[in-house]
């Protein structure tokens, strides 16, 4: 059966689009998603929202233990498109959700059947967990973005997939801070940006929960934070401040090893002061 889709519904045209997605393509998931599955308003200008767009998978950015990241181009053929990162949480195959219990205080799965399945680590449970982590990361990215923390724009979430602004030059992903060879003034500047990021999280009542030089990208001199599924709500989680402290320690120790003069206790004081 052939599916037809009106590529220009909003332009009051009677013509139908008979194109079919190729093997590495799908119809853009944007038109089918609900407003709550879309990123914060206003949607950025660069984002392609046309119902006639295809998502083309261009390759793998990185495979991980809990999720894989793919490079996607969303475009109406023959018009300029936008590049997106698709982070897909592993579902029913293999996955290590060892982090769940630790971070779940103050955040409960609503349906008890889901709760039991996750606890038993059944394949249904793993699929629930994957969807849960995707929804969790999307919510955290949206909150961080709204609070002015430099994160990739969260475009969409659907099921186990989060679509994000791709941070890179052309099709090449920006390096993780840990992969860079920053020294001297450039390193000091990056430290200044990371201190501001820690403060911005704290002002928003959040802790990243897994901040390290691997979850910070350096893009044209600007530090961007990624990997937020385990973001901790400082008001709801009784041990939230411990996560904030660990984030501060992790990044300060990394900068100190690279030769920066930085006092983690002083930074923690500055970060905590933002809470009030
Ligand atoms: N929005 C993005 N733009 C460019 N690269 C990204 C983006 N999000 C993730 N990546 C790349 O994918 C890697 C894994 O993503 P991350 O969110 O840290 O997942 P995890 O560490 O849980 O596997 C990152 O280290 C980075 O190299
Ligand atoms: Mg990571």
């Amino acid at each position: 059966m052939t599916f037809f889709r009106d590529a220009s519904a909003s332009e009051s045209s009677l013509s139908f689009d008979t194109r079919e997605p190729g093997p590495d393509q799908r119809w853009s998931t944007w038109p089918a998603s609900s407003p709550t599955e879309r990123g914060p308003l206003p949607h950025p200008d660069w984002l392609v929202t046309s119902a006639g767009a295809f998502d083309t998978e261009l390759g793998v950015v990185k495979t991980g233990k809990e999720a894989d990241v793919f490079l996607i181009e969303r475009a109406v053929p023959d018009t300029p498109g936008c590049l997106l990162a698709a982070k897909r949480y592993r579902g029913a195959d293999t996955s290590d959700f060892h982090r769940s219990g630790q971070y779940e205080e103050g955040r409960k799965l609503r349906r008890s059947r889901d709760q039991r399945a996750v606890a038993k680590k059944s394949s249904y449970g793993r699929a629930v967990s994957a969807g849960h982590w995707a929804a969790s990361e999307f919510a955290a990215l949206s909150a961080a973005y709204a609070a002015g923390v430099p994160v990739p724009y969260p475009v969409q979430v659907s099921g186990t997939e989060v679509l994000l602004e791709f941070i890179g030059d052309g099709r090449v992903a920006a390096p993780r801070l840990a992969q860079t060879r920053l020294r001297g003034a450039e390193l000091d500047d990056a430290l200044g940006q990371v201190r501001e990021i820690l403060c911005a999280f704290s002002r928003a009542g959040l802790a990243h929960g897994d901040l390290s030089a691997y979850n910070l990208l350096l893009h044209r001199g600007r530090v961007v934070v990624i990997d937020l599924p385990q973001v901790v709500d400082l008001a709801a989680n009784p041990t939230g401040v411990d996560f904030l402290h660990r984030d501060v320690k992790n990044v300060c120790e990394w900068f100190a090893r690279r030769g920066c003069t930085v006092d983690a206790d002083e930074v923690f004081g500055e970060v905590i002061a933002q809470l009030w």
Side-chain angles (χ1 to χ4, degrees), residues 92-134:
D93 52 353
T94 57
S95 201
D96 177 5
F97 287 98
H98 64 278
R99 295 194 292 191
S100 344
Q102 217 183 335
Y103 290 100
E104 285 307 301
E105 232 172 317
R107 189 194 277 162
K108 294 274 171 272
L109 289 171
R110 283 216 193 87
R111 296 164 54 198
S112 60
R113 175 175 174 237
D114 289 355
Q115 231 168 350
R116 282 196 303 274
V118 169
K120 284 203 315 221
K121 296 195 161 65
S122 66
S123 63
Y124 171 73
R126 282 194 295 269
V128 171
S129 280
H132 176 64
W133 282 120

Side-chain angles (χ1 to χ4, degrees), residues 141-160:
L141 281 161
S142 300
Y145 181 85
V149 181
V151 291
Y153 178 73
V155 173
Q156 262 177 276
V157 63
S158 44
T160 56

Side-chain angles (χ1 to χ4, degrees), residues 27-55:
W27 284 104
S28 164
T29 50
W30 184 262
S33 59
S34 71
T36 52
E37 293 166 334
R38 295 178 178 176
L41 291 164
H43 302 308
D45 295 343
W46 53 261
L47 186 64
V48 173
T49 57
S50 165
F54 283 148
D55 289 346

